[in-house]
Amino acid sequence: MRKNKELITLIVPCFNEQESLPKFYQEANKITKRMSSVDFEFLFINDGSKDNTINLIKELSKKDKRVRYISFSRNFGKEAAMYAGLENSKGDYVAIMDADLQDPPEMIEKMYEIIKKEEFDCVALYTSSHKDYSFLRKLFTNMWYKLIGIISSTKQVAGARDFRLMNRKMVDSIINMEEYNRYSKGIFSFVGFETKWIDYEAPDRVAGKSKFDFIKLFKYALEGILAFSTTPLIISAFVGILFCLIAFITIVIIIIKTLIYGDPVGGWPSLACIIIFVSGVQLFFLGIIGMYLSKTYLEVKKRPIYIVKETEESNK
Ligand code: UDP
Ligand code: MG
């Protein structure tokens, strides 16, 4: 028998979200009631929370049969949580949303309408204002998007959030990208498909604190570059050629000067500076090669992206 209602999966990665979770469920539930022409499933991913998050999810799952969950054995990061959600989603359409209500559930209604009427594969949201960012975070974010725009052929929309509604085809193609070092914003763009972008102002977190500090964000930005550009390696090769060229020209000049003027050997301080400078440049590019190598090493090992401790099935 053909089912007549379409199913939307709401994937919600949660890491220490005991304050936000009840509020999220309350708001999301209102929308699911309003959108009676579709069925919903909630798929909470407990990413190794140390607070009461898992118990709250279990309670929800007991009283609402639409609530499913996957609980990780430890914290694997939001990227792993999103992947686990996509892999285990059953919906014809799948949305990824934060638990802190920065991705307002009421947007789902509009996103679903667009995806159906305008025949897009994906409706995604971005924020252009970043009003909650500090001056430095805004500066670095803008610089990063400019840089990645230049050095990567995978298009990145500035201010893109992970909040998006995708159809099954797009979800399946993302699941097929099984890389260990995951940078989803790049992966979403890499798989292609028609995406409609909507600008919206992300509200403040409803409760709790952001899980991303400066160091985590820096690592995430670096991940984006290493995963979607090899330009740094090409630059290192070009710098190498440039330095060889400079060395060749200087050698020719020194030989000619010595032949004409018979200069005695001198200038060791400048020589010392050159040696230090060149070694610095070499170490810098060795570091860049090392970063790519370390990512390759992790890919080759084929470690699991996440490890499941329990799901709603385990309690049946
Ligand atoms: N999150 C997660 N694992 C982590 C860090 C964050 O599952 O290691 C979840 C978090 O619970 C939230 C979402 O990812 O639902 C976004 O995190 P957060 O709101 O802290 O990030 P921000 O909005 O400040 O960038
Ligand atoms: Mg947030």
Side-chain angles (χ1 to χ4, degrees):
M1 202 179 81
R2 231 184 91 82
K3 60 182 173 117
N4 43 18
K5 273 190 185 180
E6 284 185 315
L7 178 70
I8 299 182
T9 304
L10 303 179
I11 297 172
V12 192
C14 304
F15 177 47
N16 297 339
E17 296 286 4
Q18 62 180 16
E19 289 96 4
S20 316
L21 208 60
K23 296 188 177 90
F24 171 85
Y25 178 74
Q26 202 184 2
E27 287 306 309
N29 204 17
K30 279 186 206 159
I31 302 308
T32 61
K33 279 195 182 132
R34 210 160 65 204
M35 293 174 68
S36 54
S37 62
V38 269
D39 282 333
F40 278 89
E41 75 167 352
F42 290 89
L43 184 49
F44 291 103
I45 316 294
N46 175 41
D47 184 12
S49 301
K50 294 268 179 254
D51 63 1
N52 203 29
T53 301
I54 183 62
N55 294 326
L56 292 175
I57 296 176
K58 280 183 184 170
E59 268 170 37
L60 289 176
S61 166
K62 261 188 213 140
K63 69 173 194 206
D64 183 346
K65 287 292 149 240
R66 301 169 306 166
V67 174
R68 296 172 55 213
Y69 67 86
I70 296 168
S71 189
F72 287 175
S73 58
R74 64 167 169 86
N75 178 252
F76 279 86
K78 189 186 174 188
E79 287 291 333
M82 289 195 288
Y83 186 67
L86 292 172
E87 244 191 345
N88 293 281
S89 65
K90 296 181 180 157
D92 303 295
Y93 294 92
V94 178
I96 301 173
M97 331 179 54
D98 288 1
D100 58 7
L101 287 177
Q102 286 199 285
D103 302 331
E106 59 267 23
M107 296 292 287
I108 293 285
E109 200 170 6
K110 190 176 164 193
M111 290 156 92
Y112 181 67
E113 210 177 286
I114 294 174
I115 227 171
K116 292 302 284 183
K117 281 203 186 125
E118 300 180 29
E119 293 189 2
F120 279 96
D121 299 295
C122 171
V123 180
L125 275 75
Y126 73 99
T127 300
S128 52
S129 66
H130 294 308
K131 64 174 175 38
D132 59 325
Y133 283 15
S134 67
F135 172 75
L136 267 185
R137 186 167 173 185
K138 244 187 217 169
L139 184 77
F140 281 125
T141 306
N142 287 337
M143 272 167 41
W144 187 87
Y145 278 112
K146 285 220 171 78
L147 180 73
I148 199 83
I150 298 168
I151 66 173
S152 173
S153 53
T154 307
K155 209 173 138 262
Q156 308 264 349
V157 171
R161 293 187 63 83
D162 293 322
F163 186 22
R164 50 179 61 226
L165 183 70
M166 295 172 272
N167 64 14
R168 189 32 62 186
K169 257 191 206 159
M170 184 164 175
V171 171
D172 286 344
S173 62
I174 295 167
I175 297 169
N176 277 334
M177 293 187 64
E178 294 168 335
E179 53 208 74
Y180 179 79
N181 299 285
R182 301 192 72 77
Y183 179 74
S184 286
K185 288 188 174 75
I187 292 174
F188 294 145
S189 162
F190 181 89
V191 295
F193 296 97
E194 294 299 319
T195 300
K196 166 124 184 174
W197 286 96
I198 306 176
D199 188 359
Y200 88 121
E201 204 161 283
D204 289 340
R205 198 172 227 288
V206 69
K209 272 199 293 201
S210 171
K211 312 295 180 292
F212 288 89
D213 54 20
F214 184 79
I215 294 176
K216 259 194 170 180
L217 282 171
F218 183 77
K219 279 191 183 161
Y220 185 59
L222 207 59
E223 188 71 55
I225 294 175
L226 295 174
F228 284 94
S229 172
T230 47
T231 309
L233 293 173
I234 298 168
I235 294 174
S236 66
F238 273 112
V239 172
I241 293 171
L242 183 74
F243 273 50
C244 286
L245 209 68
I246 294 171
F248 179 74
I249 295 168
T250 2
I251 288 167
V252 172
I253 292 172
I254 290 169
I255 290 173
I256 294 172
K257 257 177 91 180
T258 316
L259 286 178
I260 297 173
Y261 304 107
D263 264 355
V265 178
W268 75 266
S270 51
L271 199 65
C273 291
I274 291 166
I275 291 171
I276 292 167
F277 175 66
V278 173
S279 338
V281 172
Q282 277 177 349
L283 283 177
F284 176 69
F285 284 115
L286 207 59
I288 288 180
I289 296 167
M291 283 198 268
Y292 281 95
L293 191 66
S294 69
K295 294 287 169 197
T296 317
Y297 178 55
L298 289 172
E299 289 298 339
V300 170
K301 283 210 263 195
K302 288 222 169 297
R303 283 179 179 166
I305 297 169
Y306 60 90
I307 294 169
V308 177
K309 187 175 164 198
E310 63 172 305
T311 68
E312 80 285 346
E313 297 284 334
S314 343
N315 289 327
K316 274 184 183 159

